[in-house]
Every structure is written in C-alpha cells, then in structure tokens.
Amino acid sequence: HKMHITNDVVYVGINDHKIDLFEGKYVVPNGMSYNSYVILDQKVAVMDSVDVGFGKEWLANLQAVLQDRQPDYLVVQHMEPDHSANVLAFVQRYPNAKVVATNKAFVMMKNFFGTDLAEKQLIVGDGDTLCLGKHTLTFVTAPMVHWPEVMMTYDQTDKILFSADAFGKFGALDVQQDWLDEARRYYIGIVGKYGAQVQAVLKKTSALQIEKICSLHGPVLDSNINYYLGKYDLWSKYQAEFSGVAIAYTSIYGNTKQAVDLLEAQLLAKGVAVEKFDLARCDMPQAVAKAFAYDKLVLATTTYNNDVFPFMKEFINNLTERNFANKHVTLIENGSWAPVANKVMKSMLEKCKNLKFGDCITIHSSMSDDNKNNIATLANSLAQK
C-alpha cells in the first residue's frame, strides 16, 4: 500500500499480522508495522528495510514507487533485525546503491550478515548532511535509544524527523487505535531504561523545526507534534503523566484481592483515578507502563517461600530495571504465619530514586476489621496526596 507523506516522500512499509510476540516478549494483538520510506529527488534515498519475513513484499513496494529508477542510498538508522533484515536483499537488487549508516552500524552488519559491505559504505556521524537535490538530510546520532548504533535523520526540506524506533507504537497501520497507550507500553517496555539518553536526543532535536515524525513503527505523526514530544519528555524524565493510583497485586485464594477491591471501590468513590492489575493474568508490560504513568502505586502481594509471589517479583524487577522513580508507593502484604513480603518488596525497590513510602499494611490470612480500617485510612490519604 503506497502512501504519499509529502510530494516526494512515500511510505513503503509492511503490516505484520502473523506476529504473536514482538521482540519475543510483547503481546501484539493488533500486529506490528515495520516502516520504510522513500525520498524521491534527483537522488533517491530509501529509509530502512523491514523484518525478515517480508523482504519480497517490501522490494515489490519499492519497485512500485521507483518504477525504472535506481535508488542511490539505503539509510540504515537502526540495526535491529525488524528493520535491517533485508539490507542484503536490497544490496543484491540494487548493487550500485550506497549504504548510509554510523560506524557502529557497519560493525553490527558484519556480526549479522558476515559482511560490513565495505565497498558500499557511506559512514556518517552526528550533524553530517547528505544532499539529494532539493532535499538535504541531516543525521542525528541517538546512541542507546535504544541501541548504540542508532541515528535519526532530519529532512530539512519537508521538515520530517525520521525518528528510528522513537515515537513508535505497537499495532499495524491497518488497525485504528489510539497512539498513547500502545506508544507508552512500547516506550516504557523497550526504551524505558534509557531516559537520560532520550533526554540528550530531545535536546538535539529541539533545535529542529519538526512538522512530521516518521517512526519505524506506527503511524506518521503529522499534527500536534508538541504533544508527542511532551510525552517523551515526561517519560524520559520519569515523571508521572496522571494523578491517580495504579494498583498491582497477586492473590492466591482471593483474600489479597478482596483488600485491593475494597481499596479500589473506596478510591473510585472519592473520585480518584484507579487502574488495577492482577499480575498473574494481566498484560505485564501494560501494568508496568501504567505504574510509570500514575503518580501513586500500591503493591499488594503474598509472602511465598519466605519471599514474594513470583509475578510480583517479576513486576518489581521490570520497574527497577527501567529506573522507576519519583512515586508515592504503598505496600500491602498477606501472610498466614511469617509475613515478609513488605520487607522484601521494600528492599527490591531500594535502588529507585525519590520514592516516598506510605504506611504499610499487613493482612494475616484474611482481612480483619482492623485491616478494613487500614484500607479506609489508606484510601483517605491517597485521595488527598
């Protein structure tokens, strides 16, 4: 499906509905897009390739746009295989084209393909430019967003930022879906750890006049650009987007669930925004993303083998390895003889910056009248903060 983004820039990407897990981990019920673009000028530049299963389709899309023209450049912004898998197929089809990438990307090509395409290399660095005729491309290196070789490309003429994986989302382009939730799940899951590096790139791109963002996954963003930049700024500073409470819990026999259900009902009655996640059953990356989105988090779990229940352990590891920070956290534990979950959870969260802990609650097997009072007190304090 070819799609003109501007007069000279055409979409030649792919929708993948065969995929079940993106990066072997993320559930993508609406599939995935691998975006590739062509800039048609005196010289022709192709921006990135697509995943391994779609080479023929992608080359056919290219052919339909190029017709009898030969491309001059393939710009490789990111070496992750969902974008680089067809670099060799492209080079075989168009042997005269140069491959434009960072030095680190060519090192990775050797690892992935057994060749670094030495005779075709055009190595670029931060701030380098490439003139295609009417269009001039400026390269913006984005190390560790989220791989070391990544670069973005700014088209000065059409004011497009080709943003590599940044500003991407889960979901194929032939499924209508709001950007925010799936972009947040994507960002927090995949890029979340690299907030400082994202901040560095945002500083570089702030000098550019951006009218469109062409990411490697998800739709072309062509209006309200400051909204998207603002979200990335918040996310990469580890600041909350919303006032409200994310509740993440595990429950074995339903007693811990009863506690969080009561808390949720009382918070909702006070007009507080709440999202609750049963960690054994929910989409874990979505629960993680929402824990980052709200300013308050409640963790409720059972003591298990003198530790915490496995899904809660996985959840907290997901938070800490993404630099979870700047939150109000309340811990609720359940234990029938030796409750230690709150102590374990608190120690797991020790590395996190700027967490404020509220009063912890301990349930001995099932909720007592005291526990019900504890929950009411907690609901009041969370509603006020």
Side-chain angles (χ1 to χ4, degrees):
H1 53 251
K2 71 183 201 191
M3 174 176 86
H4 271 269
I5 292 158
T6 63
N7 281 337
D8 305 332
V9 179
V10 188
Y11 180 85
V12 288
I14 295 292
N15 285 316
D16 179 359
H17 286 288
K18 293 189 276 198
I19 189 169
D20 61 340
L21 293 177
F22 181 70
E23 290 195 353
K25 176 175 178 184
Y26 299 94
V27 175
V28 281
N30 292 319
M32 209 60 203
S33 72
Y34 312 118
N35 298 341
S36 171
Y37 309 89
V38 178
I39 306 170
L40 297 163
D41 201 338
Q42 286 163 21
K43 299 219 161 138
V44 173
V46 178
M47 308 299 296
D48 297 292
S49 86
V50 297
D51 200 46
V52 66
F54 298 91
K56 283 195 174 70
E57 216 178 308
W58 175 62
L59 288 171
N61 288 356
L62 268 181
Q63 180 79 50
V65 169
L66 294 172
Q67 289 167 349
D68 301 327
R69 296 193 66 181
Q70 295 289 307
D72 298 273
Y73 303 107
L74 174 64
V75 179
V76 178
Q77 300 187 108
H78 185 17
M79 276 302 297
E80 228 173 339
D82 54 328
H83 310 298
S84 71
N86 285 286
V87 168
L88 285 191
F90 176 91
V91 165
Q92 280 152 8
R93 171 72 61 90
Y94 301 112
N96 297 326
K98 288 258 188 271
V99 177
V100 183
T102 61
N103 208 10
K104 284 199 169 95
F106 285 114
V107 173
M108 285 190 185
M109 279 182 213
K110 182 97 171 139
N111 295 342
F112 275 113
F113 310 139
T115 170
D116 61 4
L117 305 174
E119 67 295 346
K120 298 180 190 303
Q121 290 185 3
L122 179 53
I123 297 173
V124 292
D126 201 38
D128 286 350
T129 59
L130 180 63
C131 182
L132 304 176
K134 192 171 81 173
H135 294 255
T136 299
L137 306 180
T138 304
F139 301 104
V140 180
T141 53
M144 290 320 296
V145 182
H146 54 124
W147 278 24
E149 84 302 355
V150 175
M151 68 178 183
M152 299 179 183
T153 305
Y154 178 65
D155 173 2
Q156 297 176 20
T157 309
D158 283 343
K159 309 208 172 357
I160 297 174
L161 180 66
F162 294 95
S163 61
D165 270 348
F167 304 100
K169 69 181 265 297
F170 296 122
L173 299 189
D174 52 4
V175 180
Q176 277 303 304
Q177 191 182 28
D178 185 53
W179 181 84
L180 182 60
D181 259 15
E182 286 294 70
R184 185 195 302 105
R185 187 166 75 106
Y186 179 93
Y187 173 88
I188 299 293
I190 296 170
V191 190
K193 180 178 179 166
Y194 305 105
Q197 289 85 346
V198 173
Q199 280 290 310
V201 178
L202 287 173
K203 284 194 177 62
K204 287 195 223 178
T205 56
S206 68
L208 305 173
Q209 194 187 339
I210 300 168
E211 286 175 14
K212 290 182 169 61
I213 297 176
C214 289
S215 158
L216 288 178
H217 298 289
V220 173
L221 307 175
D222 55 7
S223 59
N224 216 356
I225 296 297
N226 284 339
Y227 168 82
Y228 302 107
L229 292 170
K231 288 295 180 190
Y232 260 61
D233 190 40
L234 272 184
W235 295 340
S236 56
K237 284 177 177 160
Y238 304 98
Q239 290 177 351
E241 275 176 87
F242 310 119
S243 170
V245 184
I247 301 175
Y249 75 96
T250 67
S251 191
I252 301 173
Y253 296 109
N255 291 304
T256 310
K257 180 181 190 305
Q258 206 184 343
V260 298
D261 286 350
L262 180 63
L263 176 61
E264 178 187 39
Q266 294 189 1
L267 288 170
L268 290 172
K270 295 172 195 298
V272 178
V274 186
E275 284 193 61
K276 185 179 68 182
F277 297 93
D278 172 353
L279 297 177
R281 295 177 177 83
C282 70
D283 180 66
M284 182 75 73
Q286 177 68 324
V288 171
K290 288 295 170 77
F292 278 83
Y294 287 105
D295 57 353
K296 296 179 264 303
L297 175 65
V298 174
L299 299 174
T301 195
T302 14
T303 298
Y304 192 79
N305 290 339
N306 203 35
D307 202 327
V308 299
F309 201 66
F311 294 104
M312 179 59 76
K313 188 181 259 189
E314 184 192 343
F315 181 72
I316 294 175
N317 284 335
N318 270 301
L319 299 182
T320 57
E321 69 190 33
R322 288 164 177 76
N323 299 336
F324 192 67
N326 308 319
K327 304 285 174 188
H328 182 277
V329 180
T330 307
L331 306 175
I332 300 174
E333 68 182 350
N334 193 344
S336 291
W337 58 93
V340 297
N342 282 350
K343 191 179 87 185
V344 174
M345 288 193 286
K346 196 159 191 181
S347 73
M348 286 180 78
L349 290 163
E350 251 162 19
K351 306 186 285 283
C352 299
K353 292 188 178 134
N354 195 22
L355 298 186
K356 294 185 177 64
F357 288 91
D359 290 336
C360 294
I361 296 175
T362 299
I363 299 164
H364 292 279
S365 306
S366 66
M367 272 211 301
S368 62
D369 289 339
D370 269 356
N371 288 149
K372 287 174 188 162
N373 292 334
N374 298 150
I375 298 277
T377 306
L378 173 58
N380 276 328
S381 82
L382 289 175
Q384 274 148 26
K385 285 205 167 56

